[in-house]
Amino acid sequence: MTKSTPILGEFKPSAMGVFHETNYKMQERYYGKREDAKAHYFRDWIPKQHEDFYNKLPFTVLATADDADDLWVSVVTGEPGKKFMSATPTDVTFVGLDKMAANDDPLFKSMKPKRPMGMLGIELHTRRRNRLNGVIELNSSGEYKIGGANLSF
C-alpha cells in the first residue's frame, strides 16, 4: 500500500476537525453557528461515569496504526476474575497487557509511546458503549496506558 501522506503522523487532536463539513452546515442551519468541538469533545480528564464504566468491563477494543500508517484493531481481555484495565480521571492503564497480547499481534507490535490510540468499551447486555481517544504512554511500571492532554469521547 502506497500513501503520499501519513495519516496518523500528523495527528493533532486539538486542531483536527471533529465534524464533516456537511455536519457543520447542518449546525449552522439549525443552531445559527458551528459547535466548538474543542470545548465539548477534548478534555484532559475522563468523566466519572466513563471511568466507572471502563473499570467494570471484561474486554475492550483497541486500535492504533503501525509505522506504515496501516490501522490495527484487537479485542483485549484479561484473565477471568482479574482486572486487566484500570481507569482513573486522567488515563486508562492496562495491567499486564504485554503478557496478554499474542506475540504476533500487529496491534501490540504497533503500540509505541506518543502514538495515537483509540479504545471502544462495550457493555453487551445493555448495548452501552463509550469511546476514548488519546495517546499511548508507558507508566513507571512499564504498563501501557491511554492518556494525554487531548482525550476525546
Side-chain angles (χ1 to χ4, degrees), residues 18-35:
V18 174
F19 300 108
H20 187 273
E21 187 60 33
T22 304
N23 192 293
Y24 281 125
K25 288 177 183 176
M26 184 181 72
Q27 289 175 23
E28 289 171 348
R29 181 177 173 188
Y30 289 102
Y31 305 117
K33 63 178 183 171
R34 290 184 177 205
E35 187 169 349

Side-chain angles (χ1 to χ4, degrees), residues 11 13 16 41-43 54 131-134 150-153:
F11 180 75
M16 71 181 201
Y41 298 102
F42 295 99
R43 309 175 185 130
Y54 294 136
R131 171 183 60 84
L132 172 71
N133 296 324
N150 287 301
L151 297 171
S152 68
F153 305 92

